[in-house]
């Protein structure tokens, strides 16, 4: 069986391909554990109580994987919408839209994400009090979502702008020949083609966002990774040290891999004309 035959088989049986890759990830993690930490005992460490603690957090507050998903999901949706508008504005020739978009994009792309999270959490109440003379109180969770949205929107905007610029002028001329106006040309011809080309870059950015949610620990939130820190020092959750980090590594690998594969499937469907 040659390489092309194997590739064709997995292209036709994506579920099998996913299972094979998942098995490969588990084997790699097990090899790492055997070589680097042979005394690990996953049976004692990954109890139902410990796993629940890492997945949903404590009883009185949202945390763990649930918090990671919550922040990532809302930030992905909102940054996609805002980033698309910013990217279109920067691509536009209308100066009143283009220049503010450029300032926003360049500003947030020049800042580290951890600084954006920090300043949204601490500076928004201060600025609100100074400018509007009102006591604005923003929760840590809301601050994290706002910070991720502001930061990711700048990168999505650049992806959208690059995608729009990749469309040849011949598409505009063809649409004009068909009698379409500028709005129809942009929304019905240019934008759909551009988004198809953006899929890998946008999904890659969202994968980074999903992983970067671990930075919320600096403002007192406890995401998936933070829960391992807590569990390793909690007297009621014994044995959660390296085993917990291996478990978290597997979770990150699994979900990031799923997002990447779904991106590839979407791209194939768009390229072949399937819906």
């Amino acid at each position: 069986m040659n390489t092309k035959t194997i590739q064709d088989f997995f292209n036709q049986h994506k579920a099998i391909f996913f299972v094979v890759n998942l098995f490969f990830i588990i084997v790699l993690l097990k090899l790492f554990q055997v070589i680097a930490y042979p005394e690990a005992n996953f049976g004692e460490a990954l109890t139902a109580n410990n796993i629940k603690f890492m997945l949903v957090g404590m009883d009185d507050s949202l945390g763990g994987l649930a918090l990671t998903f919550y922040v990532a999901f809302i930030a992905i949706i909102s940054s996609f919408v805002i980033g698309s508008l910013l990217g279109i504005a920067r691509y536009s020739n209308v100066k009143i839209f283009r220049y503010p978009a450029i300032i926003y994009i360049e500003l947030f792309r020049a800042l580290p994400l951890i600084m954006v999270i920090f300043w949204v959490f601490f500076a928004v109440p201060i600025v609100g009090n100074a400018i509007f003379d009102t006591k604005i109180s923003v929760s840590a969770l809301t601050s994290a979502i706002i910070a991720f949205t502001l930061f990711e929107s700048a990168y999505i905007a650049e992806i959208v702008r690059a995608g729009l610029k990749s469309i040849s002028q011949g598409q505009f001329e063809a649409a004009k020949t068909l009698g379409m106006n500028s709005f129809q040309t942009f929304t019905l011809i240019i934008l759909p083609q551009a988004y198809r080309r953006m899929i890998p870059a946008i999904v890659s950015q969202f994968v980074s966002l999903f992983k970067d949610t671990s930075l919320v620990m600096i403002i007192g939130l406890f995401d998936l990774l933070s829960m391992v820190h807590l569990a390793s020092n909690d007297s009621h959750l014994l044995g959660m040290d390296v085993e917990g980090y291996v478990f978290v590594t597997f979770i990150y690998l699994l979900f990031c891999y799923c997002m990447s594969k779904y991106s590839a499937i979407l791209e194939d469907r768009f390229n072949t004309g399937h819906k």
Side-chain angles (χ1 to χ4, degrees):
M1 186 179 291
N2 56 38
T3 304
K4 189 176 185 307
T5 305
I6 296 173
Q7 184 176 358
D8 291 340
F9 174 81
F10 282 128
N11 285 335
Q12 296 174 7
H13 303 84
K14 296 188 185 307
I16 297 177
F17 183 70
F18 173 77
V19 172
V20 170
N21 278 272
L22 183 60
F23 176 76
F24 182 68
I25 291 172
I26 295 173
V27 170
L28 285 177
L29 289 175
K30 184 62 179 177
L31 283 174
F32 170 79
Q33 175 260 310
V34 169
I35 295 171
Y37 192 64
E39 63 270 24
N41 191 326
F42 287 91
E44 292 182 3
L46 299 180
T47 62
N49 189 36
N50 287 353
I51 292 175
K52 179 184 176 183
F53 182 75
M54 288 190 291
L55 295 183
V56 299
M58 295 166 281
D59 294 334
D60 57 344
S61 62
L62 182 68
L65 184 61
L67 177 68
T68 297
F69 271 136
Y70 185 76
V71 173
F73 179 77
I74 296 179
I76 284 172
I77 300 299
S78 53
S79 64
F80 178 76
V81 174
I82 296 173
S84 294
L85 295 175
L86 287 169
I88 293 170
R90 181 162 188 177
Y91 175 79
S92 170
N93 292 323
V94 181
K95 294 181 179 180
I96 195 174
F97 297 135
R98 186 181 182 191
Y99 288 142
I102 291 175
I103 293 171
Y104 178 95
I105 293 168
E106 296 303 326
L107 173 64
F108 280 96
R109 290 182 71 205
L111 296 174
L113 175 56
I114 194 169
M115 182 180 291
V116 176
I117 297 171
F118 181 85
W119 281 110
V120 168
F121 181 66
F122 290 103
V124 168
I126 296 173
V127 173
N129 294 339
I131 297 177
F132 302 105
D133 195 26
T134 57
K135 292 185 178 180
I136 299 175
S137 179
V138 182
S139 68
L141 182 57
T142 303
S143 297
I145 293 171
I146 293 173
F148 275 98
T149 299
L150 292 174
F151 185 82
E152 294 297 328
S153 294
Y155 286 88
I156 296 298
E158 275 298 281
I159 294 172
V160 171
R161 182 187 67 85
L164 291 171
K165 287 193 70 174
S166 70
I167 306 299
S168 66
Q169 287 297 318
Q171 298 290 326
F172 291 90
E173 295 170 2
K176 187 177 180 180
T177 302
L178 294 173
M180 292 184 172
N181 57 38
S182 299
F183 180 78
Q184 291 174 324
T185 300
F186 187 77
T187 56
L188 299 178
I189 304 297
I190 305 303
L191 204 55
Q193 293 185 71
Y195 272 123
R196 290 173 190 171
R197 300 184 183 187
M198 297 175 208
I199 289 174
I202 288 177
V203 173
S204 177
Q205 191 63 38
F206 288 155
V207 168
S208 296
L209 186 158
F210 180 77
K211 293 183 291 184
D212 289 342
T213 52
S214 59
L215 294 174
V216 299
M217 70 174 68
I218 68 166
I219 56 174
L221 293 175
F222 297 101
D223 70 310
L224 177 60
L225 185 59
S226 303
M227 285 302 179
V228 180
H229 295 300
L230 285 180
S232 61
N233 297 305
D234 195 309
S235 59
H236 300 290
L237 297 162
L238 300 177
M240 285 292 292
D241 195 0
V242 173
E243 296 90 344
Y245 288 112
V246 171
F247 177 78
V248 169
T249 300
F250 173 74
I251 295 294
Y252 276 117
L253 284 171
L254 176 62
F255 284 99
C256 291
Y257 174 77
C258 288
M259 292 173 70
S260 298
K261 290 307 298 179
Y262 184 66
S263 165
I265 292 171
L266 278 179
E267 190 177 7
D268 289 342
R269 287 182 178 178
F270 281 128
N271 290 337
T272 56
H274 294 303
K275 297 182 180 179

